[in-house]
Amino acid sequence: MEMASNLQAQHETQSGVYTFSSRPRAVPNRPKYRQADPSLNEEQSSYGNIMYDRRVVRGNTYAQHIIPITSQPDPVEFFRQQQQEARRRAMSRKRLKEQFNSKTPDPLEGRKNIDVQTELYLEELSDRIEEVSVECQTDFFLDKPATPLFIPAKSGRDVATQIEEGELFDFDLEVQPMLQVLVGKTIEQALLEVMEEEELDSLRAQKKAFKEIRDAELVEVQRLEERERRLRVEKENRIKQQKAVLEKEKETADKIAARAFAQQYLSDLLPSVYSNLRDCGYFYDPVQRDIETGFLPRLMEEVGNTLERRYVARMVLDMLIQDVTNQRFEAFQIKE
């Protein structure tokens, strides 16, 4: 706006002819005719460019399909178009996020990455995407004049104005500030791009060096962890061996104590037990026991059988002697 006002002031001072110029603005939706509001000033007004108006038909209009104003769009098609547009925007955001995502390697365990600004001046970091509004300023819509009841016929002569050379527009003079701004902005943008490329190269080199240092640290950490693991395993094995030795020594000491206690306890118990068992007949002479259980019963049986046979024979003999005696006594009595 300052450039436009400067150009406007130059036009008015140099040529004496009013020339209007303003920044482009977007065409807002508004009624066809301006409302009668005297408080509306120039800054609150909006402008439009008929070259970018969608209502202006361009090209061949013979075979153009005219959509009626009263026609309504299909709700299903409109919803499908909204879904496709939302999906397209999501894919675009995802590609932009992947493109501008930092390739910094993952941090080590117990650490975290922190965003650090590398610009010359600090700026506020926020998740909100910067939005820029672009507007287009157009000419005023003139008030619609009242429709005259009667238009008289034209009469008389037209009045013309003579314009000398150089009064309207001097291209070399007017384009010089714009050209200076364009060249300056181009050089500034080029310098910014070069500085950005140098900064990106520096970041890549720092990232590569950091990755090499990190790989070396990871190798060292793995070596130390492996060493610590071996020492821990060796310590555990030594502890297990020492525990086994202590348990074996304790078991041996318990066995020795139990044996000594058993010997001391049995030293007085064995004689009494043996004497009781001997008195009860559990300890005997095998020869004597064999004679008593095997020989003597059989001998006594044989002696008894022999004595019984002798007794029977003696009885039989006594009976025979008695019979003979009786017979002889009877015979002697008969003779007498």
Side-chain angles (χ1 to χ4, degrees), residues 51-63:
M51 296 301 296
Y52 298 98
D53 194 348
R54 296 183 179 180
R55 297 171 294 181
V56 177
V57 180
R58 299 176 180 81
N60 187 6
T61 59
Y62 295 111

Side-chain angles (χ1 to χ4, degrees), residues 107-125:
L108 297 175
E109 184 177 359
R111 300 181 180 180
K112 63 179 181 179
N113 292 333
I114 300 177
D115 296 334
V116 179
Q117 295 186 6
T118 57
E119 289 81 2
L120 183 59
Y121 300 101
L122 296 179
E123 61 180 2
E124 181 181 2
L125 298 178

Side-chain angles (χ1 to χ4, degrees), residues 51-295:
M51 296 301 296
Y52 298 98
D53 194 348
R54 296 183 179 180
R55 297 171 294 181
V56 177
V57 180
R58 299 176 180 81
N60 187 6
T61 59
Y62 295 111
Q64 188 177 11
H65 179 67
I66 305 301
I67 301 177
I69 300 176
T70 59
S71 63
Q72 298 292 335
D74 189 6
V76 178
E77 186 67 19
F78 181 73
F79 181 73
R80 188 183 297 110
Q81 291 179 359
Q82 285 185 345
Q83 287 183 343
Q84 292 178 358
E85 185 67 23
R87 193 180 300 108
R88 191 182 304 109
R89 287 196 298 267
M91 292 297 294
S92 177
R93 286 195 299 268
K94 184 176 180 182
R95 285 196 299 269
L96 290 176
K97 185 177 180 181
E98 292 177 355
Q99 181 178 359
F100 294 100
N101 190 14
S102 175
K103 302 298 182 180
T104 304
D106 297 334
L108 297 175
E109 184 177 359
R111 300 181 180 180
K112 63 179 181 179
N113 292 333
I114 300 177
D115 296 334
V116 179
Q117 295 186 6
T118 57
E119 289 81 2
L120 183 59
Y121 300 101
L122 296 179
E123 61 180 2
E124 181 181 2
L125 298 178
S126 61
D127 297 337
R128 182 178 179 183
I129 301 176
E130 295 183 1
E131 299 179 357
V132 180
S133 300
V134 180
E135 300 178 354
C136 179
Q137 183 179 359
T138 58
D139 296 336
F140 277 111
F141 283 128
L142 300 177
D143 295 336
K144 181 179 179 181
T147 303
L149 297 177
F150 173 74
I151 301 176
K154 184 178 180 181
S155 61
R157 298 175 60 184
D158 295 334
V159 178
T161 303
Q162 182 179 3
I163 299 174
E164 300 295 338
E165 183 179 357
E167 292 182 353
L168 290 179
F169 183 73
D170 189 356
F171 178 80
D172 295 336
L173 182 61
E174 301 296 337
V175 83
Q176 185 176 0
M178 299 177 62
L179 185 60
Q180 290 178 356
V181 172
L182 292 175
V183 172
K185 293 298 292 184
T186 304
I187 295 175
E188 183 181 359
Q189 187 66 25
L191 291 175
L192 290 176
E193 292 179 357
V194 171
M195 292 173 63
E196 184 179 0
E197 291 178 357
E198 292 179 355
E199 185 177 357
L200 291 175
D201 294 339
S202 177
L203 290 177
R204 292 191 190 96
Q206 292 180 3
K207 185 188 297 183
K208 184 177 180 181
F210 175 76
K211 185 176 181 181
E212 293 177 355
I213 296 173
R214 183 187 177 192
D215 294 339
E217 290 179 353
L218 287 176
V219 172
E220 184 66 19
V221 168
Q222 292 177 358
R223 186 183 67 80
L224 294 176
E225 288 179 353
E226 183 65 21
R227 179 184 176 186
E228 185 67 21
R229 187 188 64 81
R230 290 198 304 269
L231 292 176
R232 185 174 62 256
V233 172
E234 184 67 21
K235 183 179 179 180
E236 292 176 356
N237 294 333
R238 294 293 179 85
I239 292 173
K240 289 180 181 178
Q241 293 177 1
Q242 190 67 21
K243 286 183 179 180
V245 171
L246 293 176
E247 290 178 358
K248 191 172 183 181
E249 291 179 355
K250 184 178 179 181
E251 184 178 358
T252 305
D254 293 342
K255 288 182 178 179
I256 294 172
R259 183 177 180 183
F261 177 75
Q263 289 179 356
Q264 184 180 1
Y265 181 75
L266 295 175
S267 61
D268 299 333
L269 183 63
L270 286 176
S272 61
V273 172
Y274 286 156
S275 61
N276 292 331
L277 292 176
R278 189 179 296 108
D279 295 339
C280 293
Y282 288 98
F283 297 106
Y284 54 84
D285 189 1
V287 178
Q288 182 181 357
R289 186 65 175 270
D290 189 18
I291 291 173
E292 291 177 354
T293 57
F295 179 72

Side-chain angles (χ1 to χ4, degrees), residues 296-312:
L296 290 178
R298 187 176 179 184
L299 180 61
M300 294 301 293
E301 185 179 358
E302 292 293 335
V303 171
N305 291 334
T306 303
L307 292 175
E308 186 177 358
R309 286 195 299 270
R310 286 182 180 182
Y311 178 73
V312 172

